[in-house]
């Protein structure tokens, strides 16, 4: 969570709000923040740390592990209309790469701003070439994009 | 017994004899609300108690309508990753 907090200023610039969710109570969230996370990121966690002790939210999002009674490491990108644009789920021992979430958000924002007229190829980052799907592009993507451009 | 300190959260298990008096739940009671989220579909709204900047509050997903939201679940506070 401290890794997400570290990228929070950048996420705010992109108009992104963050909510973290676990089965711990909000009291434990406070202790974790005050005792440990504040030593990893200046000022502590700047976003809402939600508590889902009964697992209701986790169940609704398909990340509930009923054998351990915890949420799996699920990550969702939700657009301004409340629609899920991306989801990722990891087992507990492997952490996320926040930079990849940022990259995906930037790509979804670009596509949205284009009104769906543009698509972003693999590995796209701001400034790189996008694809403009139209009949003339069929079978000719190779002319404008190659894997080494990723 | 010493346990390996891993990232999995260990939980309790009921041991001993199986209780015999518990009636088998009826199929209708057993039914869980099976919601499957998918990309391209509306995110389920929720309200949760939350810790936020030194205070206790509640957070509602739909309060952030009009903004992008990064929603991150994780196995637990004070775990290692």
């Amino acid at each position: 969570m401290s890794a997400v907090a570290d990228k929070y200023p950048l996420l705010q610039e992109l108009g992104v709000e963050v909510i973290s969710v676990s089965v711990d109570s909000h009291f434990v969230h406070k202790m974790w923040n005050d005792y440990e996370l504040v030593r990893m990121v200046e000022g502590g966690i700047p976003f809402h740390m939600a508590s889902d002790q009964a697992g209701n939210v986790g169940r609704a999002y398909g990340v509930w592990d009923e054998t351990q009674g915890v949420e799996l490491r699920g990550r969702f990108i939700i657009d301004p209309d409340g629609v899920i644009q991306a989801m990722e789920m990891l087992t507990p021992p492997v952490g996320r790469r926040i930079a990849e979430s940022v990259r995906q958000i930037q790509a979804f924002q670009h596509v949205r701003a284009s009104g769906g007229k543009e698509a972003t190829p693999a590995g796209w980052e701001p400034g790189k070439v996008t694809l403009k799907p139209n009949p003339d592009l069929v079978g000719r993507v190779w002319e404008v994009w190659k894997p080494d451009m990723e | 017994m010493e346990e390996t300190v891993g990232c999995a959260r260990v939980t309790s298990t009921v041991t001993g004899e199986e209780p015999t008096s518990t009636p088998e739940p009826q199929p209708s009671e057993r039914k869980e609300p099976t919601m499957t989220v998918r990309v391209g579909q509306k995110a389920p709204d929720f309200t949760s108690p939350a810790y936020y900047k030194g205070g206790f509050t509640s957070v509602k997903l739909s309060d952030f309508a009009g903004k992008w939201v990064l929603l991150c679940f994780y196995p637990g506070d004070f775990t290692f990753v």
Side-chain angles (χ1 to χ4, degrees):
Chain A
M1 278 308 113
S2 59
V4 183
D6 191 55
K7 289 275 190 300
Y8 190 68
L10 171 61
L11 290 163
Q12 287 272 282
E13 271 176 45
L14 295 170
V16 181
E17 206 36 75
V18 178
I19 305 173
S20 68
V21 188
S22 81
V23 294
D24 303 279
S25 72
H26 45 324
F27 305 118
V28 177
H29 286 335
K30 174 179 161 50
M31 290 314 294
W32 190 34
N33 177 73
D34 293 358
Y35 185 79
E36 187 171 34
L37 298 179
V38 77
R39 299 174 195 205
M40 293 176 170
V41 57
E42 207 184 322
I45 297 295
F47 48 77
H48 286 88
M49 301 176 79
S51 168
D52 183 30
Q53 294 191 75
N56 293 330
V57 183
R59 263 185 222 98
Y61 280 82
V63 299
W64 179 249
D65 179 344
E66 70 285 344
T67 56
Q68 294 188 73
V70 299
E71 334 267 28
L72 299 166
R73 210 177 287 284
R75 182 226 60 180
F76 299 81
I77 295 172
I78 301 167
D79 76 10
D81 298 322
V83 172
I84 298 171
Q85 293 294 347
M87 49 200 275
E88 170 193 83
M89 213 190 306
L90 308 174
T91 53
V94 171
R96 289 177 266 258
R97 183 170 163 84
I98 311 308
E100 175 60 7
S101 294
V102 170
R103 189 196 72 80
Q104 289 180 17
I105 289 166
Q106 288 174 316
F108 284 115
Q109 289 183 336
H110 187 94
V111 168
R112 188 178 169 93
S114 80
K117 289 196 174 67
E118 293 181 35
T120 63
W124 183 88
E125 287 172 337
K128 287 189 175 181
V129 68
T130 60
L131 302 175
K132 294 157 187 82
N134 71 82
D136 294 339
L137 189 63
V138 177
R140 296 173 68 181
V141 172
W142 61 274
E143 289 180 5
V144 290
W145 188 84
K146 290 190 171 64
D148 63 6
M149 292 166 72
E150 190 187 326
Chain B
M1 189 176 69
E2 189 120 344
E3 296 278 350
T4 316
V5 181
C7 282
R9 175 186 274 227
V10 287
T11 188
S12 315
T13 318
V14 176
T15 53
E17 279 183 48
E18 290 275 318
T20 48
S21 56
T22 314
E24 186 73 10
Q26 295 302 303
S28 59
E29 291 173 41
R30 223 187 282 149
K31 217 158 129 196
E32 289 264 325
T34 44
M35 289 189 69
T36 34
V37 287
R38 263 173 59 183
V39 292
Q41 291 183 353
K42 199 92 174 165
D45 196 15
F46 61 87
T47 309
S48 298
Y51 173 70
Y52 180 58
K53 289 184 176 174
F56 298 127
T57 178
S58 76
V59 62
K60 189 176 189 200
L61 178 65
S62 54
D63 285 347
F64 297 121
K67 294 195 83 174
W68 290 80
V69 175
L70 186 64
L71 179 63
C72 296
F73 293 86
Y74 62 99
D77 295 350
F78 292 106
T79 53
F80 303 105
V81 180

